[in-house]
């Protein structure tokens, strides 16, 4: 009986060990060649949008030969991140289309937390050490509030380059701004400041951003409103005052019908600007 009991116990231990090994294999981080040396670029969509709004820019990068990898990061209302797809072996410039499943969230600090969760997920899975961010419309607020809340966290990967498209850093037309109402002083400081911008002033003295390179793209319909139809140029350009310490900062004005707010993320001129800025390719 004693020998039989030992045999049964040994069998159970073998089964438990086998199941444990299977479980570890199922959850183990995939080993992809060169993944830890990759610098992914995260794209953030606007209010009410989805990753579909990022497809045009992502595919422009693929066509330009910059990358072969475009994956998606779905983020639930609770902040859980699911990566759909994998980095291709030795692809140094993968693109991650961030997709907020709650695309009507009004809290920018929550957006920042979701953005951080995506960064952490990429760090855990691929060993990412640095990355870029591209935002359109409210997607820019994910970026700047991410920086406000996390720039000093040295355990996170380092943001290298930031592209802002149609950013409403200090107001939206028809809500807390009007055409030609807000002005910028010589140093870029807005003459009127809303509550979100007041919070973002905390970025001005963050020396963790000294190595950051920024490209700020804004649209002007050239109809006298000095706006893209939804955001005044002054609101978009007010980003400069928030980031006096960065390594480089440049602004690009897009003019004409395709400079309208919702058309900017499908504008070939914008594609060329961000591809050149992020990856040095024309």
């Amino acid at each position: 009986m004693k020998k039989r009991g030992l045999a049964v116990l040994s069998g159970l231990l073998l089964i438990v060990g086998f199941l444990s090994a299977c479980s570890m294999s199922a959850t183990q981080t995939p080993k992809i060649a060169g993944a830890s040396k990759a610098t992914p670029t995260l794209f953030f969509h606007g209010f009410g949008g989805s990753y579909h709004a990022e497809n045009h820019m992502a595919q422009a990068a693929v066509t330009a030969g910059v990358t072969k990898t475009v994956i998606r990061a779905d983020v639930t209302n609770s902040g859980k991140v699911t990566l759909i797809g994998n980095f291709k072996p030795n692809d140094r410039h993968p693109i991650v289309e961030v997709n907020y499943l709650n695309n009507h969230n009004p809290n920018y600090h929550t957006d920042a937390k979701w953005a951080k969760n995506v960064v952490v997920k990429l760090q855990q899975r691929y060993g990412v050490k640095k990355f870029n961010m591209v935002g359109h419309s409210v997607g820019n607020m994910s970026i700047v509030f991410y920086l406000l809340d996390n720039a000093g966290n040295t355990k996170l990967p380092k943001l290298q380059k930031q592209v802002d498209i149609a950013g409403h850093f200090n107001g939206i037309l028809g809500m807390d701004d009007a055409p030609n109402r807000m002005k910028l002083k010589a140093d870029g400081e807005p003459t009127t400041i809303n509550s979100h911008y007041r919070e973002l002033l905390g970025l001005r003295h963050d020396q963790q951003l000294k190595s950051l390179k920024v490209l700020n793209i804004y649209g002007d319909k050239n109809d006298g409103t000095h706006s893209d139809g939804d955001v005044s140029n002054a609101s978009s350009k007010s980003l400069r005052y928030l980031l006096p310490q960065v390594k480089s900062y440049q602004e690009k004005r897009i003019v004409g019908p395709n400079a309208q707010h919702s058309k900017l993320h499908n504008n070939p001129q914008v594609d060329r600007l961000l591809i050149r800025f992020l990856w040095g390719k024309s």
Side-chain angles (χ1 to χ4, degrees):
M1 288 292 291
K2 187 174 181 181
K3 288 183 178 179
R4 180 181 294 178
L6 287 172
V8 171
L9 179 60
S10 297
L12 287 172
L13 288 172
L14 282 171
I15 291 170
V16 170
F18 175 76
L19 291 174
S20 176
C22 289
S23 175
M24 286 177 66
S25 176
T27 58
Q28 197 173 46
T29 299
K31 294 186 181 299
I32 295 177
S36 64
K37 295 181 180 179
T39 302
T41 297
L42 283 58
F43 283 75
F44 294 86
H45 60 76
F47 193 80
S50 74
Y51 73 97
H52 292 297
E54 303 155 12
N55 280 338
H56 178 90
M57 293 182 289
Q59 290 308 311
V62 173
T63 301
V66 171
T67 183
K68 297 178 181 177
T69 300
V70 180
I71 72 169
R72 190 166 88 236
D74 281 352
V75 187
T76 67
N77 195 47
S78 66
K80 180 182 177 182
V81 178
T82 301
L83 297 180
I84 299 170
N86 288 300
F87 289 2
K88 288 185 170 55
N90 295 310
D91 193 339
R92 296 298 179 90
H93 307 298
I95 287 175
V96 181
E97 297 180 330
V98 180
N99 186 45
Y100 291 159
L101 299 182
N102 176 1
N103 58 9
H104 287 82
N105 169 55
N107 189 312
Y108 296 144
H109 287 287
T110 299
D111 286 343
K113 182 179 178 182
W114 293 345
K116 177 187 175 185
N117 290 353
V118 175
V119 172
V120 169
K121 188 79 169 182
L122 294 171
Q123 183 183 40
Q124 291 172 343
R125 176 167 292 188
Y126 297 113
V128 166
K129 296 179 176 62
K130 53 187 179 179
F131 65 104
N132 305 318
M133 284 177 157
V134 177
H136 172 260
S137 190
V138 78
N140 295 292
M141 301 306 261
S142 288
I143 298 174
V144 290
F145 274 85
Y146 168 85
L147 291 176
L148 183 68
D149 294 344
N150 300 288
N153 187 342
T154 56
K155 294 181 179 179
L156 292 172
K158 192 79 171 175
L159 181 62
Q160 301 290 295
K161 295 181 180 181
Q162 170 183 332
V163 179
D164 300 281
I165 305 168
H168 53 82
F169 306 103
N170 189 33
I172 302 171
L173 297 180
M175 293 181 65
D176 52 358
D177 193 14
N180 301 310
R181 184 176 73 185
M182 188 203 322
K183 307 296 181 185
L184 299 178
K185 300 176 184 177
D187 62 357
E189 182 183 10
T191 52
T192 59
I193 292 176
N194 69 13
S195 59
H196 301 305
Y197 194 86
R198 193 170 301 281
E199 274 196 86
L200 291 171
L201 288 172
L203 291 170
R204 281 181 55 78
H205 307 294
D206 195 331
Q207 295 306 305
Q208 296 295 326
L209 303 178
K210 286 175 68 174
S211 62
L212 180 63
K213 296 180 179 180
V214 179
L215 171 62
N216 187 9
I217 302 172
Y218 62 95
D220 187 343
K221 291 174 65 181
N222 212 22
D223 60 359
T225 65
H226 299 98
S227 76
D228 63 16
D230 291 297
V231 180
S232 71
N233 294 163
S235 181
S236 294
K237 294 170 69 176
S238 66
L239 176 64
R240 178 168 71 94
Y241 186 73
L242 298 175
L243 301 172
Q245 75 281 51
V246 296
K247 187 172 184 178
S248 71
Y249 175 92
Q250 54 182 301
E251 293 175 346
K252 295 295 182 180
R253 173 174 169 255
I254 308 296
V255 182
N258 290 329
Q260 190 274 335
H261 187 78
S262 298
K263 293 181 179 179
L264 281 169
H265 59 69
N266 291 324
N267 188 312
Q269 189 178 351
V270 172
D271 296 338
R272 290 191 293 271
L273 286 170
L274 70 86
I275 288 170
R276 189 180 303 123
F277 175 75
L278 290 171
W279 303 295
K281 202 170 177 82
S282 351

